[in-house]
Amino acid sequence: MKKTTVKTIAETKGSEKIAVLTAYDAIFARLADLAGVDAILIGDSLGNTVMGYNSTVPVRMDDMIRHTAMVARAKPSALIVADVPFAVAHKSFDFLLEDCANLLRAGADCVKIEGGALLADSIKRLVNAGIPVMGHIGLMPQQILKLGAYKTFGKSREEKISLLEDAKKLEEAGVFSIVIEKTDAETAAEITKKVSVPTIGIGAGAGCDGQVLVCADVLGLGEKIPPFAKKYADLEGIVKGAFSQYVKEVKKGAFPG
Ligand code: KIV
């Protein structure tokens, strides 16, 4: 399979929907790639799914670099997108540049940054330095301590205007794509019409250019699955069944046979 690049993704707008899944290691990166995803996101949802935290806030750059390298070792033809974790995008530019460069050195093809207009200048400088950036607006889970709860954005006129402005500023800054998380579906559809880069929705309706889901939710492995996600398999039941069969057989002396 031909390697998907940020250019491929950017050029897909309007012709084909873009399918993105998260993965955090070589096992699931390989499977997602074999399934034909366009991009694999090493999301900082790593914190809630794999690391056992209850938000993405405790995830550190070292964690992202380690898991990005795991995904990259699967050599997927899908685009590898690495999340920039909590607070890093607000560092002074030289530190941000070095952190993003380290994600690329670990094997990412590009980075994703939560933040709109406020971060447009830094994002523009990163893009100029050769670091492709995917934007992320709407619900930004890294803001959870300030927000108090995960909510839907873009319902009010003010929020809609502000989201449109964020998307426009990111486009001007040179992002190749924008994730829109948990927003009013009409707002996301309007943003999608008004920007030239593809939008990737999660809990933002069907009007986006693509969709992203967290692999644990898709596989039925998460303890709490958000209402907008879709469980395509119940791996929790399958894995628990296999593990308890193994325990029974060891206890009975049936394994090894
Ligand atoms: O961290 C993540 O997995 C994400 C997606 C939910 C978009 O940012």
Side-chain angles (χ1 to χ4, degrees):
M1 277 283 277
K2 206 164 158 237
K3 177 72 187 169
T4 302
T5 66
V6 293
K7 202 159 171 274
T8 328
I9 298 286
E11 286 170 358
T12 304
K13 187 175 176 97
S15 59
E16 194 189 308
K17 292 272 186 181
I18 301 162
V20 183
L21 269 178
T22 69
Y24 316 99
D25 58 28
I27 298 181
F28 285 101
R30 180 178 155 270
L31 293 174
D33 198 46
L34 285 173
V37 293
D38 298 293
I40 296 174
L41 169 66
I42 305 103
D44 61 354
S45 51
L46 169 71
N48 327 48
T49 52
V50 171
M51 298 181 78
Y53 296 125
N54 64 5
S55 81
T56 59
V57 172
V59 178
R60 292 177 175 273
M61 185 49 80
D62 285 353
D63 302 317
M64 292 310 304
I65 290 172
R66 195 174 310 113
H67 284 269
T68 297
M70 292 180 199
V71 166
R73 277 181 218 120
K75 296 194 175 46
S77 49
L79 185 78
I80 304 177
V81 188
D83 236 344
V84 171
F86 178 67
V88 170
H90 297 269
K91 284 182 176 181
S92 63
F93 184 73
D94 291 351
F95 287 106
L96 170 62
L97 177 66
E98 191 54 19
D99 279 343
C100 291
N102 281 332
L103 288 172
L104 299 198
R105 288 178 191 123
D109 298 310
C110 58
V111 301
K112 173 167 84 58
I113 295 182
E114 284 187 19
L118 190 69
L119 290 175
D121 287 343
S122 301
I123 289 174
K124 187 171 184 176
R125 291 183 70 186
L126 287 174
V127 175
N128 286 340
I131 298 180
V133 180
M134 177 182 268
H136 182 149
I137 59 172
L139 173 68
M140 293 183 274
Q142 292 172 8
Q143 301 292 316
I144 186 60
L145 297 177
K146 194 173 81 188
L147 292 171
Y150 297 113
K151 65 160 227 167
T152 302
F153 283 79
K155 283 183 171 172
S156 67
R157 201 178 122 70
E158 294 72 42
E159 276 186 6
K160 191 173 181 168
I161 292 171
S162 144
L163 280 171
L164 269 163
E165 203 176 290
D166 281 336
K168 276 296 193 191
K169 288 276 186 230
L170 289 177
E171 180 189 31
E172 280 163 30
V175 299
F176 70 93
S177 168
I178 304 173
V179 165
I180 306 179
E181 179 161 356
K182 209 163 184 323
T183 62
D184 169 71
E186 268 180 37
T187 303
E190 192 172 330
I191 294 171
T192 302
K193 280 199 200 104
K194 292 204 166 138
V195 293
S196 58
V197 295
T199 59
I200 313 290
I202 173 159
C208 294
D209 296 304
Q211 297 291 325
V212 54
L213 281 178
V214 168
C215 65
D217 297 338
V218 169
L219 297 174
L221 281 172
E223 270 177 55
K224 271 185 260 155
I225 295 186
F228 54 75
K230 183 169 172 187
K231 189 160 127 175
Y232 285 83
D234 180 14
L235 282 204
E236 174 146 334
I238 293 173
V239 173
K240 262 190 343 207
F243 285 174
S244 60
Q245 185 62 23
Y246 164 72
V247 171
K248 267 188 219 141
E249 291 190 9
V250 170
K251 300 277 178 198
K252 275 198 312 208
F255 176 81

